[in-house]
């Protein structure tokens, strides 16, 4: 079955991420052997060697260098024996060719999720303030060519966000309402959970997993 | 209320009112041993109720999507008496004695399950113990979670419990985006 539901986020009243889930997907990787000079343009972006031009052979923009000749690259550092070299500089030397480079598609780190959550929090507030009509809510649906984002904000200010594939016609309202109920059951009713802190509860994880399995089967219309 | 996973989460699992009453009673008597002053017990009951209330508000709203945002104290009283109190205590409640420009009102709980089997000694009441203050604290906490500041105090009178609620203000600073006018 196809995965319609790609991400879940719960954002607290202050805009901090307190829970996230994402569907397990294979991160695409591409390996290729190059002759001098390399025809992919690389630059350092967020401490990684990233493709900024020259898409071909399955290697796309924003992909980053994962390994060189089988040696793992950490950030932009390539370990060669006891020595560390900058991978960008290494690939500028003709003496090192031919060279085999493995590229991987970008993934969203935990830190980036935290940043994106607080960005969405501000975006939500801006939507209210810029509304041409009075008594407007914040962002409830956000659509792009590749995904849809649905958001439910509780009366108390907690935001529940689900990201689905663009083709999905999932009943997101129902899914978000159930997520809200599970939050009240497994987070708020846990006496050792502090409100607004990250949710680390195995029972909550399991309940979310069950909910998502049902949602995928019933196109989001979850009636237990 | 404890809850087990079952097919329909929307249906709250019922629990014995007597077990609830006994559990609460055991807790209060234990607190009376821990604290020397019954006034301190009342303060702690209110604090515990407040903590419960901040969480119960979300539980209530998650299961009652049709409850509108309140823009008036009469509306608040209506939601409490018609929906919230019957939902969690299984009893009916009425609002009355409106004063101070509708800022103050009394919620009367008929047949409070917490006091059904309880005879509070008179000397404890006169020393400052409010046996059902936990409910008042829960109301205060729940309303604060939805951004209303109120003060609440409980008085047990025979089979009834009266909760006097005084509305203070809307907590504008903590209103989420889209929840204000």
């Amino acid at each position: 079955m196809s995965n319609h539901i790609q991400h879940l986020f719960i954002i607290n009243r202050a805009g901090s991420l307190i829970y996230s889930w994402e569907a397990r997907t294979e991160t695409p990787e591409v390996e290729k052997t190059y002759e001098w000079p390399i025809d992919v343009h690389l630059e350092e972006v967020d401490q990684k060697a990233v493709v900024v031009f020259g898409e071909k052979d399955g290697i796309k923009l924003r992909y980053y260098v994962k390994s060189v000749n089988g040696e793992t690259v950490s950030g932009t550092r390539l370990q060669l024996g006891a020595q560390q070299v900058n991978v960008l500089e290494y690939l500028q030397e003709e003496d090192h060719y031919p060279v085999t480079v493995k590229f991987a598609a970008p993934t969203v780190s935990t830190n980036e999720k935290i940043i994106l959550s607080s960005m969405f929090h501000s975006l939500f507030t801006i939507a209210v303030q810029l509304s041409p009509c009075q008594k407007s809510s914040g962002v409830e649906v956000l659509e792009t060519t590749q995904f849809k984002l649905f958001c439910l904000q509780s009366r108390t200010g907690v935001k529940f966000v689900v990201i689905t594939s663009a083709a999905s016609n999932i009943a997101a309202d129902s899914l978000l309402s159930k997520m809200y109920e599970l939050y009240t059951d497994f987070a708020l009713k846990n006496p050792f959970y502090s409100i607004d802190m990250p949710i680390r509860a195995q029972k909550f994880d399991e309940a979310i997993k069950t909910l998502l399995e049902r949602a995928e089967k019933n196109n989001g219309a979850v009636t237990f | 209320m404890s809850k087990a996973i079952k097919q329909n989460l929307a249906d709250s699992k019922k629990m014995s009112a007597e077990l609830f009453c006994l559990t609460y009673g055991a807790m209060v008597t234990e607190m009376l041993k821990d604290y020397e002053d019954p006034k301190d017990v009342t303060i702690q009951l209110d604090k515990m109720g407040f903590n419960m209330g901040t969480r119960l508000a979300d539980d209530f709203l998650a299961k009652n999507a049709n409850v509108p945002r309140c823009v008036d104290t009469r509306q608040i009283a209506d939601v409490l008496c018609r929906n919230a109190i019957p939902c969690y205590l299984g009893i009916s409640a009425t609002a009355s004695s409106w004063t101070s420009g509708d800022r103050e009102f009394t919620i009367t709980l008929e047949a409070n399950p917490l006091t059904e089997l309880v005879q509070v000694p008179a000397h404890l009441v006169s020393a400052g113990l409010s046996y059902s203050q936990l409910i008042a604290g829960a109301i205060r906490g729940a309303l604060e979670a939805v951004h209303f500041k109120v003060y609440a105090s409980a008085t047990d009178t025979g089979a009834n419990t009266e909760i006097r609620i005084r509305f203070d203000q809307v907590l504008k600073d903590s209103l989420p985006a889209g929840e204000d006018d």
Side-chain angles (χ1 to χ4, degrees):
Chain A
M1 69 166 185
S2 62
N3 256 319
H4 292 291
I5 302 165
Q6 294 165 355
H7 288 276
L8 295 182
F9 298 104
I10 302 180
I11 302 169
N12 77 8
R13 296 172 289 186
S16 297
L17 181 67
I18 59 175
Y19 184 80
S20 73
W21 173 94
E22 68 190 287
R24 300 273 181 268
T25 52
E26 282 297 317
T27 305
E29 290 182 0
V30 187
E31 194 171 53
K32 193 183 175 195
T33 302
Y34 292 95
E35 301 291 335
W36 171 260
I38 194 170
D39 59 1
V40 178
H41 296 240
L42 300 170
E43 281 181 16
E44 182 180 341
V45 178
D46 291 333
Q47 291 139 50
K48 284 179 177 175
V50 173
V51 178
V52 296
F53 195 71
E55 264 194 10
K56 60 191 68 173
D57 302 325
I59 301 161
K60 299 179 176 174
L61 300 187
R62 293 185 58 234
Y63 276 35
Y64 67 96
V65 176
K66 192 173 181 186
S67 69
V68 173
N69 291 334
E71 300 292 343
T72 302
V73 176
S74 296
T76 57
R77 293 187 313 274
L78 172 62
Q79 194 81 29
L80 288 180
Q83 197 181 349
Q84 264 189 4
V85 300
N86 184 290
V87 69
L88 294 166
E89 291 168 11
Y90 182 87
L91 295 173
Q92 292 298 314
E93 301 278 343
E94 184 172 2
D95 293 351
H96 301 139
Y97 285 78
V99 67
T100 301
V101 184
K102 181 186 279 188
F103 296 89
T107 57
V108 187
S109 69
T110 300
N111 235 34
E112 283 164 340
K113 286 177 187 172
I114 290 169
I115 292 169
L116 290 168
S117 296
S118 55
M119 279 182 182
F120 180 75
H121 178 74
S122 302
L123 183 63
F124 189 97
T125 303
I126 288 169
V128 175
Q129 293 172 352
L130 288 183
S131 169
C133 312
Q134 287 181 19
K135 297 189 198 294
S136 172
S137 71
V139 174
E140 292 188 344
V141 183
L142 193 153
E143 286 190 30
T144 75
T145 52
Q146 301 296 320
F147 68 86
K148 293 176 185 170
L149 179 153
F150 300 90
C151 175
L152 167 70
Q153 179 177 251
S154 73
R155 192 71 46 76
T156 55
V158 182
K159 292 182 187 61
F160 302 86
V161 176
V162 60
I163 293 176
T164 70
S165 59
S168 168
N169 59 342
I170 204 162
D173 284 357
S174 174
L175 175 62
L176 289 168
S177 293
K178 289 301 166 196
M179 239 178 112
Y180 187 18
E181 285 190 30
L182 294 183
Y183 165 75
T184 64
D185 282 344
F186 291 102
L188 295 187
K189 288 176 183 171
N190 175 359
F192 301 105
Y193 171 71
S194 301
I195 296 179
D196 284 340
M197 289 296 121
I199 302 170
R200 304 187 217 281
Q202 189 176 340
K203 288 179 178 177
F204 183 70
D205 289 335
E206 286 165 6
I208 288 284
K209 188 180 168 216
T210 302
L211 172 66
L212 291 174
E213 284 167 0
R214 290 178 179 275
E216 290 288 2
K217 279 183 204 164
N218 301 291
N219 216 26
V222 276
T223 47
F224 293 155
Chain B
M1 300 182 307
S2 60
K3 183 179 289 191
I5 268 287
K6 51 182 293 187
Q7 278 303 302
N8 198 332
L9 272 181
D11 291 335
S12 296
K13 187 177 179 183
K14 305 298 181 182
M15 88 173 285
S16 161
E18 287 183 2
L19 177 58
F20 185 39
C21 179
L22 282 165
T23 305
Y24 186 74
M27 184 184 72
V28 174
T29 52
E30 190 66 23
M31 290 173 75
L32 285 165
K33 292 174 192 169
D34 289 347
Y35 295 91
E36 291 174 9
D37 193 345
K39 284 195 193 68
D40 290 334
V41 174
T42 300
I43 292 170
Q44 290 302 317
L45 287 174
D46 185 72
K47 196 175 295 183
M48 292 168 70
F50 180 89
N51 288 332
M52 290 171 66
T54 54
R55 297 171 187 235
L56 285 177
D58 265 305
D59 183 59
F60 177 71
L61 291 170
K63 296 178 170 61
N64 295 275
N66 55 319
V67 171
R69 177 162 54 88
C70 296
V71 294
D72 182 77
T73 45
R74 297 236 172 206
Q75 202 179 356
I76 292 174
D78 199 53
V79 170
L80 285 172
C81 293
R82 287 180 189 265
N83 301 101
I85 290 169
C87 173
Y88 290 108
L89 294 176
I91 54 174
S92 56
T94 54
S96 60
S97 304
W98 293 87
T99 58
S100 305
D102 278 4
R103 272 196 166 74
E104 288 190 42
F105 59 98
T106 299
I107 290 181
T108 303
L109 310 181
E110 296 155 32
N112 180 358
L114 292 184
T115 58
E116 186 180 344
L117 308 168
V118 176
Q119 180 80 46
V120 185
H123 74 274
L124 289 177
V125 176
S126 56
L129 175 67
S130 173
Y131 189 81
S132 302
Q133 185 63 24
L134 186 111
I135 301 177
I139 290 174
R140 181 169 70 87
L143 291 179
E144 181 154 321
V146 290
H147 323 292
F148 299 115
K149 186 167 174 56
V150 304
Y151 298 100
S153 58
T155 308
D156 298 305
T157 56
N160 289 357
T161 297
E162 293 182 356
I163 301 175
R164 189 67 182 166
I165 295 176
R166 176 165 62 87
F167 181 88
D168 185 32
Q169 61 175 331
V170 178
L171 298 167
K172 279 187 157 50
D173 287 346
S174 67
L175 274 172
E179 289 287 322
D180 52 359
D181 288 322

